[in-house]
Amino acid sequence: MKPAIQSEVNKGLNRYVVFVYILTIVLIFLSKYISPSFGSFAQIKAILVLSSLTVLVALGQGLVILTGELDLSVGKIITLSGVLTSMWLGNGDENWLMAIPIFAILLLVGFLNGYGVAALKIPSFIMTLAMSMIIYGCILGYTKGTPDGMSPRLLEKLMASNWFGLPSPIYVLIVVAIAGYFLQSRTKLGRTMQVIGSNRTAAHYAAIPVKRTIIFAYMISAICAGLTGMILVGYSGGSTLNLGDAYLLPSIATVVLGGAAISGGSGNYLGTVGAAIFLTTVSTIIQALGISIGWQNVIYGLMILVVLILYRKDIYQMLQHQLRGWSTKKQEAA
């Protein structure tokens, strides 16, 4: 992509990111009319705590999407990490050396995902979906359907601690947001991923290590999902067989809603962070209204579509063109 065009794309993306944050602030302010407790400092802290998990798993997912691929195995990787954490680290003696094989397994899963996509040319949708099924089968076989163990005491204390009046997960969110932004936007690795997502053929002829970079993106995604699983165990006091299922679709939605192109090549991690906070706020409001789970999913999906239609120029222009065509046909018929 030419520098002038890239500059215009970045400007548009930055404006979109600012809009996401403004929309989130407005939504939090308007939520006061739904419940007096909404919009309070305590409520904002609760939203940020819940957002921290999505922000972490979306960091890895965003890097994979930046290369033009998808990782549908993050939900099961979260579950795998949570099960191993509770069974190997929360068994009473809390031997934290056992964290080494856990991270080794996570890296292996990420490597296999990346190798299958980059080297074996298996579509990412199929590769990562198959990997999630393999992971789930291994979890079922290893646990016999009932994960043992509990949350490690150290992890539980860290997740329940408060520093300077703020829960520790908020500091996790801040650190991950800063690290993710610099990794995606200010490092050679992040720029390489953008080039690969924009034009993989051109990246190959430019001697960019395409396969290695894609594999590395999947390995980072596996580590981010694994850390999310550990944090979830610290919250819940144990693990379940569906621990990470609720984070698959939000990990993709926050990346796309945050301004990234689903086809790869462009994205802004600060936009992903803002989108995670926005969607968490929406989810909190919907739950407070007592809406059933089915309708919650409908509203959740419609919110994403509306925002994308209004603020993604390609979709908006397409709808405008279709409406003008419909209006012209109606006038001719009259």
Side-chain angles (χ1 to χ4, degrees):
M1 187 177 292
K2 295 181 180 180
I5 298 175
Q6 183 65 57
S7 177
E8 288 300 317
V9 171
N10 291 337
K11 287 180 181 178
L13 184 56
N14 290 335
R15 287 194 293 268
Y16 179 81
V17 170
V18 171
F19 159 75
V20 170
Y21 281 94
I22 293 175
L23 183 62
T24 303
I25 293 171
V26 170
L27 185 63
I28 292 175
F29 175 78
L30 293 178
S31 67
K32 292 182 179 180
Y33 296 98
I34 298 174
S35 173
S37 62
F38 280 14
S40 64
F41 184 59
Q43 181 68 18
I44 293 174
K45 286 195 296 184
I47 290 173
L48 292 177
V49 168
L50 293 174
S51 301
S52 63
L53 297 170
T54 306
V55 164
L56 179 55
V57 69
L59 169 58
Q61 183 73 265
L63 294 177
V64 172
I65 290 177
L66 198 63
T67 65
E69 306 293 350
L70 276 176
D71 189 352
L72 301 183
S73 65
V74 292
K76 297 306 180 187
I77 294 176
I78 291 173
T79 300
L80 173 65
S81 176
V83 167
L84 295 181
T85 298
S86 63
M87 295 181 70
W88 293 1
L89 299 179
N91 55 9
D93 56 1
E94 294 197 22
N95 181 10
W96 281 91
L97 288 176
M98 292 303 295
I100 296 176
I102 292 176
F103 282 107
I105 291 172
L106 295 174
L107 288 172
L108 176 61
V109 171
F111 173 81
L112 291 175
N113 271 334
Y115 187 82
V117 172
L120 301 182
K121 306 299 182 182
I122 301 173
S124 59
F125 178 88
I126 297 174
M127 181 65 209
T128 55
L129 185 60
M131 181 60 70
S132 68
M133 295 172 67
I134 293 171
I135 292 172
Y136 190 63
C138 290
I139 294 172
L140 281 177
Y142 183 65
T143 63
K144 295 180 175 59
T146 307
D148 296 326
M150 59 188 70
S151 173
R153 290 187 297 273
L154 177 59
L155 190 60
E156 211 166 39
K157 288 180 181 178
L158 286 175
M159 291 302 102
S161 62
N162 281 268
W163 300 334
F164 304 103
L166 294 177
S168 57
I170 294 181
Y171 292 99
V172 172
L173 187 153
I174 294 171
V175 171
V176 172
I178 295 173
Y181 170 75
F182 278 98
L183 175 61
Q184 185 168 313
S185 304
R186 292 290 184 267
T187 65
K188 181 180 178 180
L189 176 64
R191 291 191 292 270
T192 300
M193 290 177 178
Q194 290 184 35
V195 172
I196 292 172
S198 297
N199 192 324
R200 189 166 300 183
T201 303
H204 176 76
Y205 284 113
I208 291 175
V210 175
K211 294 179 181 179
R212 187 173 64 193
T213 303
I214 293 175
I215 291 173
F216 198 53
Y218 275 103
M219 292 174 73
I220 295 176
S221 179
I223 290 296
C224 290
L227 289 172
T228 303
M230 290 181 173
I231 294 174
L232 279 170
V233 168
Y235 279 131
S236 60
S239 60
T240 63
L241 294 178
N242 59 353
L243 184 69
D245 291 355
Y247 289 90
L248 171 57
L249 293 180
S251 73
I252 299 173
T254 53
V255 173
V256 176
L257 190 60
I262 193 65
S263 57
S266 67
N268 187 312
Y269 186 65
L270 293 183
T272 300
V273 174
I277 298 172
F278 169 75
L279 290 178
T280 302
T281 304
V282 171
S283 178
T284 303
I285 293 174
I286 291 174
Q287 292 175 14
L289 292 173
I291 300 173
S292 65
I293 295 177
W295 286 111
Q296 285 181 32
N297 291 333
V298 171
I299 296 174
Y300 192 78
L302 287 175
M303 289 289 295
I304 296 173
L305 288 175
V306 168
V307 173
L308 287 176
I309 288 171
L310 290 177
Y311 293 93
R312 297 295 291 270
K313 289 184 178 180
D314 51 346
I315 300 176
Y316 184 67
Q317 289 173 354
M318 179 188 70
L319 287 178
Q320 278 188 322
H321 178 73
Q322 290 180 346
L323 287 173
R324 282 197 297 266
W326 177 79
S327 178
T328 302
K329 290 180 180 179
K330 187 177 180 181
Q331 289 175 358
E332 290 176 351

